[in-house]
Amino acid sequence: MKNLLLICLFALSLNGFSQNKKSSNLETITLGGGCYWCVEAVYENLDGVKSVVSGFSGGNVPNPTYEEVCTGETGHAEVVQITYDKNVTDINEIFKVFFTVHDPTTLNRQGADVGTQYRSVIFYKNEEQKKAAQSIIAELNKAKVYSNPIVTKVEPFKVFYKAEDYHQNYYANNKSQPYCKMVIQPKIEKFEKVFKDKLKKKS
């Protein structure tokens, strides 16, 4: 009986270790690349990404609403908070996608979306993320990948506020909307073409 109890305790400890090891592989990064509907729709298809949540960061008003952020007066950027498995993808790949699917050279705008809430920004949570962001920006500028210099801000992460429920999975739930067809769909198609070997397997 005593031996059976010890075996059970050992099995439980191994299970806990396995779960902790699994959770330690997960990391989160917060990115702003224009309308969060667009960015969210892209990253939801990247293999290794576990969740993408649309929301707001970088402002000075607690718990802002979408309408408040749209005024440009709260200081927030529309962002996505991405949780990914470092065993499947990594921060460099996350950034490669980021700089592929939005224009990092236009200040406070993406296409017809204009305002500080649409600024290009990376909110880093640790030194690894900070250095990786600075490195890829330097490389892209040096290689003159874009006609103009990159204006993406690299700032320390402070707080993330989740957007209202109807903003989550917006593209998946509203594919027939004109904005989804004309703005989001082309970004997804570009992503799928460039990162075709990195797409999530369709179930």
Side-chain angles (χ1 to χ4, degrees):
M1 186 69 179
K2 185 177 179 182
N3 288 338
L4 180 61
L5 180 61
L6 288 172
I7 291 171
C8 289
L9 289 172
F10 180 67
L12 286 171
S13 66
L14 283 179
N15 184 52
F17 175 76
S18 177
Q19 289 178 348
N20 288 336
K21 185 177 180 182
K22 185 176 181 181
S23 63
S24 69
N25 293 329
L26 299 181
E27 187 164 277
T28 302
I29 184 73
T30 303
L31 307 174
C35 175
Y36 46 33
W37 297 341
C38 300
V39 186
E40 177 196 67
V42 167
Y43 279 105
E44 284 183 337
N45 291 296
L46 179 64
D47 194 25
V49 169
K50 296 300 182 181
S51 71
V52 188
V53 182
S54 291
F56 315 105
S57 281
N60 48 41
V61 175
N63 298 304
T65 65
Y66 174 67
E67 287 73 20
E68 289 173 330
V69 172
C70 282
T71 67
E73 296 178 1
T74 69
H76 291 90
E78 288 195 11
V79 298
V80 293
Q81 187 160 269
I82 303 164
T83 300
Y84 60 96
D85 185 342
K86 293 188 290 184
N87 284 343
V88 182
T89 187
D90 60 27
I91 194 63
N92 291 311
E93 188 165 83
I94 295 290
F95 287 153
K96 286 176 184 177
V97 173
F98 180 67
F99 286 106
T100 298
V101 299
H102 89 293
D103 185 349
T105 70
T106 53
L107 185 63
N108 299 329
R109 75 175 299 160
Q110 284 296 304
D113 294 325
V114 181
T116 56
Q117 67 270 33
Y118 300 116
R119 65 187 182 271
S120 178
V121 59
I122 295 169
F123 293 105
Y124 63 86
K125 291 186 173 66
N126 53 51
E127 282 300 306
E128 179 190 5
Q129 292 182 353
K130 179 183 179 181
K131 290 178 180 177
Q134 293 173 332
S135 176
I136 193 169
I137 289 173
E139 289 174 8
L140 291 171
N141 277 329
K142 183 178 180 180
K144 298 187 183 301
V145 172
Y146 305 98
S147 301
N148 298 304
I150 292 173
V151 297
T152 304
K153 296 292 185 182
V154 179
E155 303 175 4
F157 173 83
K158 293 181 180 178
V159 64
F160 169 82
Y161 298 105
K162 182 180 177 181
E164 295 85 345
D165 287 345
Y166 72 92
H167 291 290
Q168 310 304 325
N169 301 306
Y170 188 86
Y171 174 76
N173 295 327
N174 299 274
K175 290 183 179 180
S176 62
Q177 293 288 343
Y179 187 90
C180 291
K181 289 182 176 181
M182 295 186 290
V183 180
I184 303 178
Q185 184 61 36
K187 288 179 180 288
I188 293 176
E189 290 173 355
K190 182 179 182 181
F191 161 73
E192 291 177 340
K193 182 177 180 180
V194 176
F195 296 93
K196 59 184 178 182
D197 296 329
K198 303 294 183 177
L199 303 179
K200 285 182 178 177
K201 301 295 187 294
K202 301 292 184 181
S203 56

